[in-house]
């Protein structure tokens, strides 16, 4: 095994197994892009069928959406910092920034759930119109990904504390960082093609 | 691979640009007095630039010995995504108009 370890590379790239896992995760992200594309397509087709119910400009609130966007964008940045410090073998900074990432992610989820509850109280539910059905499915799928990411990250933090930085834990940390950045990429498109689009037209 | 710099320069730059792009998009969408089509083209382009920033400055898509494979994989996924979104909207809206 030791013959396959290349110490000139960052921890997460040092073994063949790690490199394959990272490549595999990129391919998974390619499939995730296509998954979200189908949901955006549904929203693009049905997003203006209100069935007499509320329209986007009736229910969307710029401030709340902007706070959600900034929380997720900042969490993507702090997650990048966590990996940056991991590559300097700085376990303490890695954990600090990774926990901040999680807190920002949890803040995002809190805002989003509050937003959904607010919509439902205004009579904008999944059953109201094709616009709201496709809206909740697209946003809900993204929110479910964030929820899953938080659970995953908590488990990874426990493992980092137990095992320290090894090629295996570094690879896991790197892969979850790819996942987390990807969720922010999806959000950029939700922010633009759902929220801003809805508030323009 | 990762720059050996002491400070996460590319992350900070990427973050600042993302913030600027987000606020420019909000400004263009809600404060500028131009047509809907122009607004959508501008904010759509800003979104693509910002996604690219995340991909290159945060996710380092090109790094590692599989960097090229990653880029091809992402490019292909984006192509399929565009075909799905644009194709679905095109077929399902023009289909209604034409029958």
């Amino acid at each position: 095994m030791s013959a396959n370890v290349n110490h000139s590379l960052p921890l997460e790239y040092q073994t063949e197994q790690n490199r394959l896992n990272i490549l595999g995760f990129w391919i998974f992200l390619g499939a995730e892009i296509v998954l979200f594309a189908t949901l955006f397509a549904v929203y693009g087709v049905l997003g203006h069928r209100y069935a007499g119910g509320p329209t986007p400009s009736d229910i969307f609130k710029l401030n709340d959406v902007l706070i959600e966007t900034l929380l997720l964008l900042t969490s993507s940045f702090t997650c990048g910092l966590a990996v940056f410090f991991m590559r300097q073998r700085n376990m303490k900074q890695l954990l600090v920034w990774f926990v901040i990432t999680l807190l920002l992610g949890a803040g995002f989820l809190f805002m989003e759930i509050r937003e959904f509850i607010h919509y439902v109280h205004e009579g904008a539910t999944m059953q109201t119109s094709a616009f709201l059905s496709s809206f909740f499915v697209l946003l809900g799928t993204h929110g479910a990904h964030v929820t899953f990411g938080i659970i995953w990250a908590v488990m990874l933090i426990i493992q980092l504390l137990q095992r320290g930085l090894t090629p295996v834990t570094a690879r896991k940390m790197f892969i979850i960082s790819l996942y987390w950045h990807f969720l922010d990429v999806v959000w950029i498109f939700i922010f633009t093609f759902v929220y801003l689009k809805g508030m323009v037209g | 691979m990762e720059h050996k710099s002491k400070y996460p320069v590319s992350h900070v730059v990427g973050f600042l640009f993302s913030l600027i792009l987000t606020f420019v998009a909000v400004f263009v969408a809600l404060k500028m007095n131009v047509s809907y089509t122009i607004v959508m083209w501008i904010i759509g382009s800003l979104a693509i630039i910002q996604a690219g920033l995340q991909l290159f400055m945060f996710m380092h898509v090109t790094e590692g010995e599989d960097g090229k494979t990653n880029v091809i994989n992402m490019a292909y996924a984006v192509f399929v995504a565009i075909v799905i979104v644009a194709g679905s909207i095109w077929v399902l809206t023009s289909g209604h108009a034409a029958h």
Side-chain angles (χ1 to χ4, degrees):
Chain A
M1 255 321 266
S2 62
N4 294 327
V5 176
N6 184 346
H7 293 286
S8 68
L9 295 171
L11 269 182
E12 67 272 22
Y13 280 108
Q14 282 184 2
T15 66
E16 179 69 16
Q17 179 69 47
N18 277 5
R19 290 193 288 272
L20 286 174
N21 283 150
I22 291 168
L23 173 65
F25 198 79
W26 274 105
I27 292 170
F28 166 74
L29 288 184
E32 287 274 278
I33 288 177
V34 175
L35 164 74
F36 278 101
T38 61
L39 298 176
F40 275 104
V42 172
Y43 186 81
V45 171
L46 300 176
H48 53 277
R49 309 205 168 189
Y50 308 126
T55 65
S57 49
D58 289 337
I59 56 172
F60 292 165
K61 286 205 181 70
L62 177 65
N63 281 347
D64 289 0
V65 176
L66 211 49
I67 291 170
E68 284 167 29
T69 304
L70 293 179
L71 283 171
L72 207 60
L73 179 59
T74 311
S75 85
S76 183
F77 169 61
T78 56
C79 186
L81 290 184
V83 169
F84 176 83
F85 286 113
M86 177 176 84
R87 288 186 172 177
Q88 300 190 336
R89 309 284 173 99
N90 189 335
M91 181 69 162
K92 199 180 151 218
Q93 291 284 325
L94 159 63
L95 284 173
V96 167
W97 290 107
F98 198 35
V99 169
I100 292 174
T101 304
L102 276 190
L103 293 176
L104 291 166
F108 167 83
L109 261 190
F110 172 79
M111 290 294 294
E112 186 168 55
I113 291 169
R114 219 183 57 150
E115 181 192 333
F116 285 0
I117 291 172
H118 174 73
Y119 291 162
V120 170
H121 280 302
E122 291 204 346
T125 71
M126 250 185 129
Q127 289 91 351
T128 308
S129 63
F131 152 59
L132 286 162
S133 302
S134 53
F135 171 83
F136 278 117
V137 171
L138 173 58
L139 277 273
T141 306
H142 178 266
H145 275 75
V146 175
T147 312
F148 176 74
I150 289 175
I151 296 167
W152 179 5
V154 169
M155 292 194 293
L156 183 56
I157 287 175
I158 294 170
Q159 203 169 70
L160 279 168
L161 289 171
Q162 285 176 343
R163 300 187 189 173
L165 263 186
T166 67
V168 173
T169 52
R171 177 247 295 163
K172 290 179 178 177
M173 178 65 212
F174 185 73
I175 284 178
I176 199 174
S177 83
L178 292 180
Y179 180 80
W180 199 262
H181 293 312
F182 170 75
L183 293 183
D184 189 53
V185 172
V186 174
W187 182 262
I188 294 165
F189 288 98
I190 291 178
F191 177 67
T192 304
F193 290 106
V194 175
Y195 287 109
L196 287 183
K197 180 173 179 276
M199 287 185 275
V200 178
Chain B
M1 206 151 277
E2 181 82 4
H3 323 287
K4 288 280 176 220
S5 65
K6 218 177 153 224
Y7 300 99
V9 181
S10 84
H11 289 97
V12 174
V13 172
F15 181 55
L16 289 178
F17 270 111
S18 298
L19 282 177
I20 292 168
L21 288 169
T22 301
F23 283 107
V24 170
V26 171
F27 177 81
V28 170
L30 303 177
K31 304 282 181 217
M32 251 170 67
N33 199 12
V34 287
S35 80
Y36 175 75
T37 317
I38 296 174
V39 168
M40 286 317 295
W41 273 105
I42 296 176
I43 64 176
S45 310
L46 292 175
I48 290 165
I49 295 170
Q50 202 181 330
L53 273 181
Q54 292 271 335
L55 215 51
F56 286 96
M57 299 190 91
F58 287 179
M59 295 167 85
H60 306 126
V61 61
T62 54
E63 107 185 337
E65 64 182 37
D66 296 313
K68 224 175 239 166
T69 317
N70 287 344
V71 173
I72 294 169
N73 174 44
M74 282 294 111
Y76 181 60
V78 169
F79 169 72
V80 175
I82 291 169
V83 170
I84 290 172
V85 175
S88 299
I89 293 171
W90 177 40
V91 166
L92 288 166
T93 49
S94 66
H96 277 285
H99 74 110

